[in-house]
Amino acid sequence: EVQLLESGGGLVQPGGSLRLSCSASGFSFSNYIMTWVRQAPGKGLEWVSSISGSGLSRYYADSVKARFTISRDNSKNTMYLQLKSLRADDTAVYFCARLGRRPSEGWFNGWGQGTLVSVSS
Amino acid sequence: EIVMTQSPATLSVSPGERVTLSCRASQSITSSLAWYQQRPGQAPKLLIYGASIRATGVPARFSGSGSGTEFTLTINSLQSEDFALYYCQQYNNWPPLTFGGGTKVEIK
């Protein structure tokens, strides 16, 4: 069974930084593309960033490019999202989610419970 | 970027009824479409991928159809646990992966 557990969310001031973690179990972590998806309060789902199984390929939404950095440590079955220069519109629940082994398998088959990031002074 | 548009925004239905949710892509995405269900306070759950393939464990009352730019999710005989938000998502051409705005299925 795919299990994903996010941590690291919290309240941060505008311009601040935060690092989110996603611990994975129940599958061969290094074989899968992993992704962060966020959901602002009362809003829909927004893709944020994805990273290939090897970690060599990384993709970002334009809204977070140059401010967020995705990474993974396959030895620890963990993915990270470093958030910098945070803005009020980054306030959201951040979900960790698993894609497939290849980009053509671009559906999310496994989600964490989410971690809330609140950006406010 | 491929824009996904869902309609209607809200559907008011009675338990036991059949409902059809629509999703339209701004350009052809062949069959690279997934549907998700999200209950309040929970993470989304995969229902359908490949436009019409039910994910493991998803009841047969859920079915997906369509290709190109027009897609539908049909739920036969709505159960109480089916009242939720539903999102479509394209993965034909990414990044970015894009979602529709969602359809809320509420009790009439």
Side-chain angles (χ1 to χ4, degrees), chain B:
Chain B
E1 172 176 328
I2 298 175
V3 176
M4 306 301 294
T5 303
Q6 290 185 244
S7 62
T10 304
L11 267 173
S12 298
V13 296
S14 301
E17 288 187 352
R18 173 182 175 176
V19 295
T20 299
L21 287 62
S22 295
C23 176
R24 174 178 293 177
S26 60
Q27 64 189 75
S28 178
I29 58 170
T30 62
S31 296
S32 301
L33 184 96
W35 288 95
Y36 302 88
Q37 177 193 68
Q38 187 178 31
R39 298 187 179 117
Q42 296 187 15
K45 171 190 170 184
L46 177 67
L47 297 174
I48 302 282
Y49 63 95
S52 61
I53 304 170
R54 270 192 306 276
T56 302
V58 174
R61 64 180 181 273
F62 291 91
S63 63
S65 64
S67 66
T69 62
E70 301 286 340
F71 302 87
T72 58
L73 174 69
T74 299
I75 313 172
N76 287 303
S77 188
L78 264 173
Q79 307 295 302
S80 58
E81 61 267 28
D82 300 336
F83 291 95
L85 267 165
Y86 292 85
Y87 293 96
C88 63
Q89 174 238 328
Q90 71 81 23
Y91 53 91
N92 184 67
N93 185 13
W94 73 279
L97 292 163
T98 51
F99 293 89
T103 291
K104 181 180 181 181
V105 177
E106 64 178 23
I107 299 175
K108 190 173 184 178

